[in-house]
Amino acid sequence: ASDANSDETHQTPPASQSINAAHTSSMKKRKPRKTSASPGGKRRKKKQPQKDETDAKRRPKASLSNARLISGAGIFNAGGLSKLNEFANSTDHLGIVHRGTPAGSKTYFRKLLEKVDFDEAQGIVCKSHAKDDLQSILAAKIPKKLRGHDFYETWLSDMTEVCKTFCDVLKSKAVSFWVGSDRGCVRYHVDWVPFRMLVTYHGKGTELLPDGVADRKAFLDSNNDNQVVEDPNAVKFMRPWDIALFRGGPDGVVHRTPDSALDAPTILMRLDHKEFLDAILEQEDAA
């Protein structure tokens, strides 16, 4: 759903593989593969927009389609966080909790990104003391003044509850936490971890190709993303603060970072099994 900082895993090993180095090698820093969204395979420099940017110029209809709830075969629309436990026991490939954006969200995150080089913050978050763990992780990245802002508590409390819910989904005491603005998965892909949870708190949400929108054969055989989309008008985007819970594997929902999130200020949270970060740290120690 990152090179070291993006929201997805690019590799496509056999479905029988478990969480290991093959699943986590994409977390290392590297240049994105060559695509039309990233000429020459180089990450485009982020710019500060004068107003909120969208994909309207590239995909005018697709960018507006998310005014309705995302639904379809293989998609589980949960009525709240607690319902995501039901998704874990289903055969669906994507669980979604649709939520509204709290007042003050855009203002706070714009101020944060203007004041701080907020590329990434990551660590292990335990369910029993999730809020304390998050505060410790973020203290090294976010200045005290911004941590004292009223909206910081709103954001922190939300991340705490989402982390606890993901612990419940995984039946785990802890999860791997990552939050940042450096999103670089420019290619369509599926995840090769059992479950991954994403929340875009600011900027354009993850781009989705539900069943019937993605040409699976082209997805497997082609390096051209333009051949993967059967109906550009049916492309979906997660909205800010919506929660997406991906089930990994060959039948997972095809997705990527939207073009506008490569250029515009954005903040994404990604949660994985604790072993995901453990494997990355082991690789770094061995390097």
Side-chain angles (χ1 to χ4, degrees):
S2 186
D3 31 16
N5 306 311
S6 68
D7 53 350
E8 292 96 6
T9 300
H10 294 278
Q11 302 204 351
T12 54
S16 61
Q17 290 187 348
S18 60
I19 299 176
N20 54 27
H23 291 159
T24 60
S25 61
S26 65
M27 295 292 291
K28 293 184 176 182
K29 290 283 188 179
R30 70 181 190 278
K31 295 180 180 179
R33 294 170 62 183
K34 185 176 181 180
T35 68
S36 58
S38 181
K42 297 181 179 179
R43 188 189 300 279
R44 290 177 292 184
K45 185 176 181 181
K46 294 180 181 180
K47 59 184 179 181
Q48 297 292 331
Q50 294 181 347
K51 59 181 180 179
D52 289 345
E53 294 185 4
T54 68
D55 285 325
K57 292 184 179 179
R58 287 194 182 93
R59 307 181 184 95
K61 295 183 180 179
S63 64
L64 299 176
S65 63
N66 208 38
R68 299 184 299 275
L69 296 184
I70 299 173
S71 61
I75 296 179
F76 180 94
N77 273 296
L81 274 172
S82 62
K83 294 292 185 180
L84 286 176
N85 280 317
E86 297 178 17
F87 164 78
N89 298 320
S90 74
T91 58
D92 294 317
H93 302 297
L94 174 62
I96 297 178
V97 179
H98 292 281
R99 312 191 294 173
T101 300
S105 177
K106 290 183 179 180
T107 300
Y108 178 79
F109 288 125
R110 282 172 177 162
K111 184 178 296 185
L112 171 64
L113 293 171
E114 287 172 0
K115 302 290 185 181
V116 182
D117 182 16
F118 193 70
D119 53 351
E120 68 172 0
Q122 65 179 354
I124 298 298
V125 175
C126 296
K127 181 182 178 182
S128 59
H129 42 82
K131 191 170 186 177
D132 290 341
D133 288 344
L134 289 170
Q135 286 178 316
S136 178
I137 292 169
L138 296 174
K141 281 289 183 179
I142 301 178
K144 185 176 181 180
K145 184 176 181 179
L146 287 171
R147 283 185 279 121
H149 193 286
D150 288 343
F151 192 81
Y152 176 76
E153 180 61 30
T154 299
W155 182 34
L156 182 65
S157 296
D158 188 77
M159 289 190 291
T160 299
E161 292 308 309
V162 175
C163 285
K164 288 181 177 180
T165 297
F166 195 52
C167 284
D168 292 338
V169 169
L170 298 180
K171 295 180 172 56
S172 173
K173 295 181 180 180
V175 295
S176 167
F177 167 85
W178 181 96
V179 66
S181 60
D182 193 0
R183 299 166 62 184
C185 282
V186 298
R187 298 301 306 275
Y188 286 123
H189 64 280
V190 296
D191 290 326
W192 287 94
V193 289
F195 291 103
R196 169 166 289 164
M197 187 175 281
L198 302 179
V199 181
T200 301
Y201 283 107
H202 185 65
K204 196 65 171 284
T206 302
E207 181 177 336
L208 307 171
L209 302 185
D211 287 348
V213 181
D215 184 329
R216 290 280 176 168
K217 186 176 186 304
F219 170 66
L220 294 173
D221 298 340
S222 175
N223 285 325
N224 186 346
D225 275 357
N226 293 329
Q227 296 178 5
V228 177
V229 183
E230 291 190 333
D231 182 3
N233 295 329
V235 175
K236 303 291 185 179
F237 298 90
M238 295 298 297
R239 297 177 299 190
W241 289 75
D242 281 356
I243 299 170
L245 176 55
F246 291 86
R247 188 190 305 275
D251 297 322
V253 174
V254 177
H255 58 286
R256 71 175 182 180
T257 302
D259 291 339
S260 62
L262 300 173
D263 295 330
T266 182
I267 291 181
L268 174 108
M269 180 180 73
R270 184 192 66 234
L271 303 179
D272 286 289
H273 195 284
K274 177 180 178 293
E275 293 177 10
F276 188 72
L277 181 57
D278 289 342
I280 295 167
L281 297 177
E282 287 177 7
Q283 287 183 349
E284 291 177 350
D285 290 341

